[in-house]
Structure formats: structure tokens, C-alpha cells
Amino acid sequence: MKTSDFNFDLPEELLAEHPSEHRDEARLMVLDRKTQTIEHKTFKDVVDYFDEKDLFIFNNTKVFPARLYGNKEKTGAKIEVFLLRELDKETRVWDVLVDPARKIRIGNKLFFTEDESLVAEVIDNTTSRGRTLRFLFDGSYEEFRTKLKELGETPLPKYIKREVEPEDAERYQTIYAKVEGAVAAPTAGLHFSRHLMKRLEIKGIDFAEVTLHVGLGTFNPIEVEDLSKHKMESEEIIIDEVNAEIINKAVQENRKVCAVGTTTMRAIETSVSSNRKISAFQGWTNKFIYPPHDFGVANTMITNFHTPKSTLMMMIAAFAGKDFLMQAYEEAVREKYKFYSYGDAMLIL
């Protein structure tokens, strides 16, 4: 499989700048792999495709406000700092991306507040835009994290050209988000409203949760033509015993098991053994799923519409079948479905 096999024309106006007015009223395209048919629905209709004891697996990661703006010492130039990963809690050392990067060198200081209560010093270069910062803050760790939250804004993807709006803090977060650590939302889950969750519950559908902290690598373009040479960035996964057990029971009983989103799918595919059993797991994954791939756990999946040549689209092609997916994407463009993080949804049966 080559990267160029996953190209298609995506008109810019189909990239969603805003979410649908109500979470569960986004559009839903339903792909049936057995019959190779496509239906057009509304997201809340998802409940009609599942029965009592079927299982939904959600990624309960929580997005933190990872985008900060500081000023460079002496020049006062405005610098965007995107928090990627905390490296050391004690010394407050973080991996970040800076923009514009050419102005930021080792030894530079960045000031985030007028009163200089939060300052960062650049201690290393990691990539062309990547830097390691040590934050200087006079207060406890909890106060430091509170300060980062106060100053940070919702890390909307770069393709969204508008300013961040107050509603983004709520809408770029799933309603079941619990474990803070993601810098991008697990977007398939954004379509679930409290009302829809209640309807699924009343129908007797079971839920399991895993955690995969989505990193910015999820948006990284693939620079190679040969897919086997692409390296995914590592992301942290946590699956506990209780949820592993819930998932294993559903698989054992041949129920419908629905992975909500590519991040959920990556988490469960990382921790599944050859006999289709999930083990409790805490660690990192850089698993890259592309066709052909034998899925061990989920037999249905919910996802958004992804951009051309993206790793996310490749995973979906492995699950739905590449030709069927390309046909569905052509139809989605024709029918003006909205793509990407705030876009519409797809259910693959």
C-alpha cells in the first residue's frame, strides 16, 4: 500500500470550522460491509443499530488547554507555545512546539504574565519546531497546573482558521472525558450527548472505557510513499482490569463491539493478544494500522471523516475495506458531509 493510494479531492469548504448545533444531530453515514451498502442518517439514529448487551468502547481522555502565548524577553515578540508532554513534574520540564520557531533558541526566556509569575526557559531543541522548556513558577505543583489552565486555550487543530470561542472549551471535549492528558480530542466521541447516552443505557447497551492520550502526531502528514516506513508518534494508553474484563466478555459472547474512534481502536489493538483477549495495559503505543490488518476486538466502529492521505483514513480503510471506503468518501464529498475534527460521523457495521 502506498500513501498516494489514499488521496482524494476534498473541497476546503467541507472542513468543519464549527461543530453541529447539537452533538447528536451531526450527520451519520452508515456503511454495511456485508451488503456493501451506504445509508444516510442523523447521529442519534446510531441507537437503532445496536441491541441489548452490545458494547461501546470509549476513549475517556480529557483535552487540556494546551496552547499558550508568551512574550520573548527583550524583544517582546509574541510566541505560541503548544504543550505536548510533561517530562518532569518536579522540575516542571515540558516538551513543547513553538511558533515562530526560528526566533526561539536555547537560553531564551518567555514571559506568560505581566507580573512575571510564570516564566519559561528554553533548555533544549528537539525538532525544527520542538523545544524543551523549564517553567519557573513560585508555587505548588497544583497552583502551577491551575495557572497553565488559566492561561491556556482550547487546542483546536490548525486548519480551523477562526479564533477560539468560549463554546470550544465544552464542545472540543467528549461528555465522558475524565483523565486529563490529550492535546487533541478523540473526535468520534464528540457526537455523544447525555440524552443519547441515556437512550443507549435504557436499551441495555454496555459501556467500557480505555484511555489513550491523543498527541499531535495524529495530525502529522505522512512523508513517505511506502507505508511500512512511516513511524507513528508514541501516545500513552491506560486500560484497567475491570474494563479489559468487560471487553473480553463481549468478544467471547460474540456481541457487537463498537470502537468509538480511531484512538479507541488503536488502544485496544495494541493490547489484544493473538487469542483476541485484551490485557490490562499501561504504557505507550506507536501502532500504525493500515490495510491489510486483522482486527482482534471490535466488529463495528464509529469515526469521523478524515483528510486525504492521513493515518486515520488508512486505519478506516483497513477496517471498512479500501475500495468501499473510497466509494463512501466520494459520496460524502458529493453529499457535502463535513470532514475532520468538528465534522460528521460514520458508522461501519
Side-chain angles (χ1 to χ4, degrees):
M1 283 274 166
K2 301 197 294 288
T3 303
S4 52
D5 293 337
F6 296 90
N7 202 10
F8 65 97
D9 283 331
L10 177 60
E12 208 169 310
E13 69 269 17
L14 297 186
L15 287 169
E17 287 269 320
H18 290 89
S20 58
E21 192 182 343
H22 300 291
R23 285 181 187 268
D24 57 14
E25 286 179 1
R27 292 166 77 192
L28 177 71
M29 181 186 274
V30 183
L31 272 57
D32 189 319
R33 292 179 291 174
K34 249 196 207 100
T35 58
Q36 296 283 294
T37 52
I38 295 172
E39 292 180 282
H40 303 285
K41 300 282 186 176
T42 299
F43 192 79
K44 58 187 171 193
D45 299 330
V46 82
V47 73
D48 301 335
Y49 294 88
F50 294 88
D51 298 310
E52 192 179 348
K53 290 290 176 204
D54 286 343
L55 178 69
F56 277 66
I57 310 173
F58 298 104
N59 178 7
N60 66 11
T61 187
K62 190 173 189 181
V63 180
F64 66 92
R67 193 174 270 128
L68 305 174
Y69 293 95
N71 296 96
K72 193 178 164 190
E73 64 178 335
K74 297 191 180 109
T75 67
K78 187 182 180 184
I79 306 294
E80 178 190 306
V81 173
F82 195 103
L83 301 171
L84 289 180
R85 186 175 297 167
E86 184 176 50
L87 298 179
D88 190 322
K89 198 170 164 174
E90 300 302 308
T91 55
R92 298 177 187 163
V93 171
W94 284 69
D95 260 347
V96 305
L97 294 177
V98 291
D99 194 20
R102 65 182 189 283
K103 297 183 173 180
I104 302 301
R105 299 191 172 87
I106 294 172
N108 286 162
K109 282 201 171 121
L110 297 170
F111 295 87
F112 295 92
T113 53
E114 288 287 316
D115 61 1
E116 300 184 8
S117 59
L118 184 68
V119 180
E121 185 182 2
V122 183
I123 58 174
D124 201 3
N125 293 335
T126 51
T127 61
S128 58
R129 284 183 56 214
R131 301 289 183 271
T132 305
L133 299 187
R134 180 188 291 118
F135 283 96
L136 312 168
F137 178 77
D138 195 13
S140 69
Y141 178 73
E142 282 64 38
E143 289 167 327
F144 166 63
R145 289 301 296 244
T146 302
K147 181 57 85 178
L148 287 185
K149 265 191 202 149
E150 261 170 41
L151 296 171
E153 68 175 31
T154 305
L156 292 183
K158 281 284 194 192
Y159 80 88
I160 292 178
K161 300 285 187 269
R162 63 176 173 80
E163 290 293 306
V164 171
E165 293 163 15
E167 71 152 4
D168 291 313
E170 184 223 342
R171 291 301 301 272
Y172 195 64
Q173 193 83 271
T174 63
I175 60 163
Y176 47 77
K178 283 192 188 91
V179 188
E180 195 170 82
V183 298
T187 54
L190 298 179
H191 303 294
F192 286 84
S193 64
R194 286 193 166 73
H195 183 244
L196 178 57
M197 293 293 268
K198 201 74 208 146
R199 285 176 63 213
L200 291 166
E201 227 173 274
I202 289 164
K203 200 165 182 181
I205 287 158
D206 292 335
F207 301 148
E209 292 184 356
V210 298
T211 306
L212 182 141
H213 291 316
V214 192
L216 270 194
T218 192
F219 301 118
N220 280 357
I222 297 186
E223 309 284 2
V224 289
E225 181 63 356
D226 176 354
L227 294 188
S228 65
K229 294 194 164 47
H230 177 66
K231 294 274 183 290
M232 293 285 280
E233 258 181 52
S234 289
E235 294 171 313
E236 191 179 7
I237 294 179
I238 306 152
I239 301 176
D240 64 27
E241 293 280 1
V242 175
N243 284 286
E245 196 40 54
I246 294 170
I247 296 166
N248 288 335
K249 192 168 183 294
V251 171
Q252 225 172 336
E253 294 173 358
N254 287 322
R255 304 205 172 275
K256 267 191 192 146
V257 176
C258 181
V260 177
T262 55
T263 59
T264 299
M265 187 67 95
R266 192 150 69 251
I268 57 182
E269 285 297 304
T270 295
S271 55
V272 70
S273 63
S274 54
N275 62 358
R276 297 183 70 207
K277 256 191 152 37
I278 289 271
S279 308
F281 180 85
Q282 175 149 16
W284 295 79
T285 181
N286 60 355
K287 193 172 188 67
F288 176 27
I289 298 172
Y290 58 93
H293 180 83
D294 185 18
F295 290 85
V297 183
N299 47 27
T300 60
M301 167 170 206
I302 291 170
T303 185
N304 278 21
F305 288 88
H306 306 294
T307 49
K309 301 195 286 190
S310 60
T311 59
L312 308 172
M313 184 187 171
M314 288 162 190
M315 180 196 289
I316 306 310
F319 192 76
K322 182 182 169 289
D323 293 345
F324 190 28
L325 183 80
M326 295 310 272
Q327 182 195 330
Y329 269 37
E330 263 176 48
E331 188 153 335
V333 169
R334 243 193 340 269
E335 296 289 332
K336 299 203 169 0
Y337 273 76
K338 290 290 190 183
F339 279 68
Y340 222 16
S341 301
Y342 270 155
D344 294 313
M346 178 186 273
L347 167 64
I348 307 166
L349 300 168

